[in-house]
Amino acid sequence: MLRAANLALLLLFPVAWFAPLMRAGMLPLFGLSEISVVSGLQSLWSTDVGLALLVTFFAIFAPYLKTIGLALLHAGLLSPRVLPALHLLGRLAMADIFLIALYIVLIKGVGLATVETAWGLWLFTGCIVASLALSFLTPAR
């Protein structure tokens, strides 16, 4: 069951990266009506490369590497000693959800734009939380 759920995440993460996280009007940085992880990263690349690299690691590489690591662990192709490192990757990916939530609160509080969360935020959050739960449920043999 853990193995199947983890393999499903390998398909769901890319969907979550392209799904709309929020809809915003008059947002100066993005200038878009719908913002996804990928479109947000594209906007960041043109304004701040360092931040774009950091967010790319947290939003894409950390959760996906963790999911691949768990898949290898479930298949018996990776040592269980790697599990603490996979837990760390999961925590780093969860930091991304916190940042997105913080941005939404700040934008709404300052009144710069009208921001509505979209279904992609829930999918992305669900993928991160499911991945975190799967790593905790995976026994260290």
Side-chain angles (χ1 to χ4, degrees):
M1 173 118 167
L2 292 176
R3 179 187 238 174
N6 191 58
L7 291 176
L9 285 176
L10 288 174
L11 299 174
L12 289 173
F13 266 121
V15 173
W17 297 330
F18 289 94
L21 297 174
M22 62 184 100
R23 291 178 190 87
M26 296 180 10
L27 187 61
L29 178 63
F30 296 105
L32 303 172
S33 58
E34 287 190 341
I35 301 166
S36 68
V37 171
V38 172
S39 68
L41 286 173
Q42 288 172 336
S43 293
L44 276 177
W45 278 103
S46 63
T47 59
D48 190 344
V49 175
L51 183 59
L53 285 170
L54 191 63
V55 172
T56 300
F57 176 75
F58 284 141
I60 294 178
F61 290 118
Y64 213 64
L65 286 174
K66 178 181 177 263
T67 304
I68 291 170
L70 278 176
L72 293 172
L73 186 70
H74 291 153
L77 300 173
L78 194 62
S79 170
R81 293 181 292 170
V82 172
L83 202 52
L86 296 178
H87 285 299
L88 177 64
L89 280 175
R91 288 190 186 108
L92 291 176
M94 197 61 203
D96 194 55
I97 295 296
F98 172 74
L99 287 175
I100 292 170
L102 183 65
Y103 292 148
I104 291 171
V105 169
L106 286 174
I107 291 167
K108 282 187 170 186
V110 173
L112 291 176
T114 301
V115 179
E116 299 174 354
T117 58
W119 65 272
L121 180 63
W122 297 107
L123 177 62
F124 188 57
T125 302
C127 286
I128 297 292
V129 171
S131 178
L132 197 57
L134 287 171
S135 68
F136 283 120
L137 293 173
T138 299
R141 297 181 191 122

